[in-house]
Amino acid sequence: MRANLALALLASSTFAQATFQLFNFSSYVDIENSALRPNGHLLLTTFDQGRLYTLDPSSRAPEAHLVAALPGATALCGITAIDHDKFAIVGGIRGSYSYTNETIYTVDFTRDTVKPIIHTVARIPNAAMLNGMASLPTQPHIVLIADSRLGCLFRIDTKTGISKIAFKDDSLAAPANASIPIGINGLKVARGYVYFTNTARGTFSRVSVSADGLDFGDVELIATLNMDATGGDWDDFALDTDGVAYVAQPDNSIARVEPDGQQAIVAGGGGTKDIIGPTSVQIGRNGTLYVTTRGGTVDGISYSGQVVEVQLVGV
Ligand SMILES: *[C@@H]1O[C@H](CO)[C@@H](O)[C@H](O)[C@H]1NC(C)=O
Ligand SMILES: *[C@@H]1O[C@H](CO)[C@@H](O)[C@H](O)[C@H]1NC(C)=O
Ligand SMILES: *[C@@H]1O[C@H](CO)[C@@H](O)[C@H](O)[C@H]1NC(C)=O
Ligand SMILES: *[C@@H]1O[C@H](CO)[C@@H](O)[C@H](O)[C@H]1NC(C)=O
């Protein structure tokens, strides 16, 4: 009985949801990306002087605590787990839709769960704008990083620091005439595919990838954002075990994209102000979504970056 009920809920395309802010910065901080630690705490990368923060979403009044400012970076972007409680993070000197001194760091909490060991493992001088990052499931010390300007994936071995462009395709680039020149943004590796959003094209796609991250197939389009109907664009996303994506869709929504491309707004949207400038999504152990935002201006009022909890219940 219970199993049937659960299936019925999952098959539904309508969701009831509760959305509430766990935390917001009091001065302006743009939270760019996030990762979950094994203890359920979030790591938050920001455009705030290369600072990495941590936040315990289960605490009574969650607060972001500074972990470290990563050396030589003004802005941090993609983050991914590369081992148990060890993460790779990309950061650089942020310019206008371009970065210099793009650097890959590792942040290792295994010896000390509060003050991690931080290493600079690679510099990527030929990158233009590194954005989302994901590790390879069977070789997690190897990461793929999206370059939003070059329209490619860098493959970086965080043990050796060796990097190369592993895949380049028009579907990862912004069109030449795009008003916001950000192509591939977020990515995840799962089930033998790299799933990715392209912000300027408004697309969510996948491409098959070999276990070692060296060989790629043809890009398959999964969904196209209806920009006229819903506005906004697509930033980073989380992928659940069924291959359903929860995509940050600025200015104020979270879109759910099913493997067959069906899409629906499941949180925020309309005239709501619960989620202001979503940038990334994590799925907590019990299915709760944790959304980070960059903040923004709504009705003339400026808001800072937030961490927002979204509980979805199929109805
Ligand atoms: C899921 O876990 C979070 C963090 O512990 C908690 O705040 C939330 O209420 C839980 N949600 C459900 C549906 O149990
Ligand atoms: C960028 O990297 C170069 C070469 O390592 C270094 O000389 C320079 O100081 C760095 N720039 C900044 C702003 O940190
Ligand atoms: C870019 O060019 C394409 C093809 O010519 C056109 O369909 C599209 O509307 C243009 N977009 C912008 C933002 O100008
Ligand atoms: C933080 O959130 C509170 C509650 O929603 C809101 O009133 C306040 O304006 C926010 N502050 C900033 C700086 O975004």
Side-chain angles (χ1 to χ4, degrees):
M1 249 338 255
R2 185 164 280 194
N4 287 342
L5 179 63
L7 278 178
L9 294 176
L10 283 172
S12 164
S13 62
T14 314
F15 285 82
Q17 49 106 355
T19 300
F20 46 94
Q21 177 174 291
L22 292 172
F23 169 78
N24 62 348
F25 282 99
S26 53
S27 60
Y28 189 72
V29 171
D30 181 331
I31 308 174
E32 171 59 14
N33 218 314
S34 55
L36 272 172
R37 290 181 60 190
N39 63 5
H41 297 192
L42 287 160
L43 290 172
L44 310 172
T45 65
T46 72
F47 288 171
D48 174 28
Q49 304 167 74
R51 286 177 177 159
L52 175 70
Y53 291 87
T54 184
L55 177 143
D56 176 2
S58 69
S59 76
R60 189 185 275 264
E63 290 254 14
H65 298 286
L66 179 66
V67 176
L70 301 190
T74 62
L76 305 180
C77 292
I79 176 169
T80 189
I82 55 171
D83 203 341
H84 186 81
D85 222 2
K86 182 174 178 181
F87 299 83
I89 295 176
V90 59
I93 312 277
R94 185 171 179 236
S96 176
Y97 298 115
S98 75
Y99 283 68
T100 52
N101 290 28
E102 290 280 37
T103 305
I104 313 303
Y105 307 89
T106 54
V107 176
D108 184 352
F109 291 94
T110 49
R111 291 236 188 106
D112 185 327
T113 62
V114 178
K115 283 200 84 62
I117 297 170
I118 296 169
H119 285 302
T120 296
V121 295
R123 297 202 191 276
I124 321 291
N126 52 332
M129 184 180 180
L130 296 179
N131 201 327
M133 167 162 30
S135 59
L136 299 177
T138 57
Q139 297 173 58
H141 66 285
I142 295 174
V143 298
L144 298 177
I145 309 185
D147 192 311
S148 301
R149 295 304 303 274
L150 300 183
C152 71
L153 293 175
F154 278 86
R155 176 190 187 275
I156 293 139
D157 183 325
T158 60
K159 286 185 178 160
T160 63
I162 293 172
S163 67
K164 64 173 275 189
I165 293 177
F167 184 64
K168 196 171 195 310
D169 191 81
D170 269 356
S171 62
L172 279 62
N177 62 355
S179 50
I180 297 176
I182 298 178
I184 182 170
N185 194 319
L187 77 155
K188 294 286 175 283
V189 187
R191 308 151 159 242
Y193 290 90
V194 176
Y195 292 80
F196 63 92
T197 51
N198 181 316
T199 296
R201 292 184 191 275
T203 52
F204 180 64
S205 312
R206 69 176 192 177
V207 57
S208 66
V209 61
S210 58
D212 60 8
L214 289 168
D215 296 312
F216 292 80
D218 294 328
V219 174
E220 304 165 31
L221 180 68
I222 298 170
T224 302
L225 172 69
N226 185 344
M227 298 199 205
D228 299 330
T230 56
D233 51 46
W234 278 342
D235 201 319
D236 215 302
F237 64 95
L239 202 60
D240 76 9
T241 49
D242 297 319
V244 174
Y246 292 93
V247 189
Q249 183 176 315
D251 291 331
N252 64 6
S253 328
I254 301 300
R256 181 182 196 270
V257 181
E258 297 188 38
D260 68 0
Q262 278 191 68
Q263 56 186 289
I265 299 296
V266 292
T272 59
K273 293 200 285 183
D274 297 333
I275 301 172
I276 302 166
T279 49
S280 77
V281 183
Q282 297 298 322
I283 302 173
R285 266 172 292 195
N286 59 12
T288 300
L289 303 183
Y290 298 115
V291 177
T292 64
T293 79
R294 61 183 178 222
T297 302
V298 185
D299 301 335
I301 301 169
S302 294
Y303 295 91
S304 192
Q306 313 159 282
V307 179
V308 178
E309 179 170 324
V310 177
Q311 291 185 10
L312 296 177
V313 184
V315 291

